[in-house]
Amino acid sequence: MSEIMTRNDWTREEIAALFDLPFDELMYQAQTVHRAHHAGGEVQLCTLLSIKTGGCPEDCGYCSQSASAESGVKATKLMDPRAVLQMAAQAKDSGSQRFCMGAAWRNPKDKDMPAIVEMVKGVRQMGMETCMTLGMLTPSQAAMLADAGLDYYNHNIDTSPERYGDVITTRTFGERLETLENVRQAGINVCCGGIVGMGETRADRVGFVHALATLPRHPESVPVNALVPVKGTVLGDMLADTPLAKIDDIEFVRTVAVARISMPMSMVRLSAGRESMAEATQALCFMAGANSIFTGDKLLTTGNRGDSADAALFAKLGVRPMKAEEPMRQRVCEAAE
């Protein structure tokens, strides 16, 4: 498998060829790459908390928190840091190694940054990895988060560059990349992935993985979400009318496997959509190289499987949660000279 080591010069044709492999061969390659870089049978447990919900000015077609959606999600103010830290402590007690905090903003205001910094410092003091997703960041805001000790910043590209404008019009694909660069320059690890099952074609999924795998440095975390259709959102209503647009399970597993092969060092996170995903599909995703999940019974606004269901599945599969000390790493991204 020496020809499938860490590289950033993947062509679309090479990514497409991986998608086209017979399923058993694709799974074999994905598991071989996975075992070369990660422990088998171990899955990182992460918890996601919405620290500021709803009222977002962006028009992302999948998002129930968009102000333009008629999803019934009510806008809230930024949570008090003390309440956030209480939730983080509960997550740690439940076995989570990473605590992810998300705010429904286009970008944070400078007046909000002191509270955000307090949250980051508090979670890190508990011995957990920290991740934030706050929208677009300026270089100075990224530097503040780095100084606070933020381990990861999540900013998804969502889909392929070609499909992007059909999903979001209020923020360009280039602006997504600009924020990723600001995060990298500040020395923070990048968490970047997207959503499949939004009515896209396989060519779009090829373009999505290609865009991630050809970044100057692969994201340290790659969340792969299956769209959770929410009534009142553009894509939720579209899929209600055209249910065949939903991605099938095998194609979803293929996407996870191709992400694993093309980004061998990354943590590939099986993210949104697990609540309605069959156990067999999740098992195939783990075989395909997914080694991180969100725990608990809620993500930002949508449901999740819950700790007891995950524990039962892990027991059935012989999968074990990654130990708390194993995912803790020093930030490996160095700020540019």
Side-chain angles (χ1 to χ4, degrees):
M1 300 299 294
S2 59
E3 73 277 11
I4 308 182
M5 299 300 287
T6 302
R7 45 181 288 210
N8 304 80
D9 61 349
W10 292 91
T11 67
R12 288 205 177 205
E13 291 74 20
E14 288 174 314
I15 299 293
L18 291 175
F19 268 99
D20 289 340
L21 285 172
F23 190 71
D24 62 341
E25 176 62 22
L26 176 61
M27 295 292 282
Y28 171 74
Q29 290 197 23
Q31 185 60 205
T32 302
V33 170
H34 181 77
R35 292 299 183 96
H37 299 280
H38 305 272
E42 290 188 349
V43 175
Q44 180 193 49
L45 304 183
C46 309
T47 297
L48 177 61
L49 174 68
S50 178
I51 59 173
K52 190 277 173 190
T53 303
C56 181
E58 305 281 13
D59 67 354
C60 305
Y62 53 80
C63 187
S64 62
Q65 300 194 69
S66 170
S68 60
E70 298 180 359
S71 60
V73 173
K74 296 182 179 179
T76 66
K77 295 181 179 180
L78 182 65
M79 288 179 64
D80 185 280
R82 291 169 295 183
V84 172
L85 297 182
Q86 183 178 18
M87 298 294 288
Q90 293 173 5
K92 182 180 180 181
D93 290 342
S94 296
S96 284
Q97 295 98 39
R98 184 181 299 183
F99 194 68
C100 308
M101 296 158 275
W105 286 324
R106 174 178 170 83
N107 51 273
K109 294 181 174 62
D110 287 341
K111 67 180 179 64
D112 296 313
M113 293 304 295
I116 296 295
V117 165
E118 184 178 348
M119 295 174 195
V120 172
K121 289 182 176 180
V123 175
R124 277 189 61 88
Q125 288 173 358
M126 296 178 191
M128 300 177 74
E129 284 185 347
T130 53
C131 183
M132 281 279 182
T133 178
L134 312 169
M136 295 186 291
L137 289 182
T138 64
S140 62
Q141 290 172 335
M144 288 181 66
L145 293 174
D147 290 342
L150 184 68
D151 296 293
Y152 291 82
Y153 192 80
N154 168 257
H155 199 62
N156 292 335
I157 60 170
D158 289 335
T159 187
S160 68
E162 295 79 14
R163 172 74 170 152
Y164 184 88
D166 296 329
V167 177
I168 303 154
T169 68
T170 51
R171 186 190 324 185
T172 67
F173 195 86
E175 286 175 313
R176 299 265 180 178
L177 298 182
E178 183 178 346
T179 286
L180 294 180
E181 180 60 20
N182 290 340
V183 170
R184 281 288 188 212
Q185 290 294 322
I188 302 171
N189 288 313
V190 166
C191 174
C192 184
I195 308 170
V196 295
M198 297 193 293
E200 76 281 351
T201 64
R202 175 178 281 187
D204 289 316
R205 290 187 282 278
V206 169
F208 159 61
V209 175
H210 177 262
L212 294 172
T214 55
L215 288 171
R217 188 185 186 103
H218 293 163
E220 281 73 26
S221 289
V222 178
V224 181
N225 299 272
L227 178 70
V228 179
V230 177
K231 185 178 180 181
T233 63
V234 172
L235 290 173
D237 292 344
M238 179 199 78
L239 286 177
D241 296 331
T242 56
L244 292 178
K246 181 181 178 181
I247 188 172
D248 72 47
D249 290 346
I250 296 299
E251 185 70 9
F252 183 83
V253 176
R254 283 184 179 274
T255 306
V256 171
V258 174
R260 165 52 66 219
I261 294 169
S262 59
M263 293 172 281
M265 299 296 292
S266 302
M267 299 293 291
V268 177
R269 182 171 304 115
L270 184 56
S271 300
R274 284 200 312 119
E275 182 187 24
S276 59
M277 196 175 290
E279 287 187 339
T281 302
Q282 294 183 71
L284 285 173
C285 286
F286 295 140
M287 290 180 64
N291 60 344
S292 181
I293 62 169
F294 282 124
T295 62
D297 56 10
K298 186 178 181 181
L299 298 179
L300 291 175
T301 59
T302 57
N304 197 32
R305 284 181 59 85
D307 294 341
S308 59
D310 286 337
L313 177 60
F314 278 22
K316 188 179 295 186
L317 299 178
V319 170
R320 59 191 179 279
M322 193 177 290
K323 293 181 181 178
E325 66 269 17
E326 288 175 340
M328 292 298 291
R329 302 193 300 269
Q330 295 294 324
R331 284 172 290 148
V332 297
C333 317
E334 295 182 356
E337 296 293 334

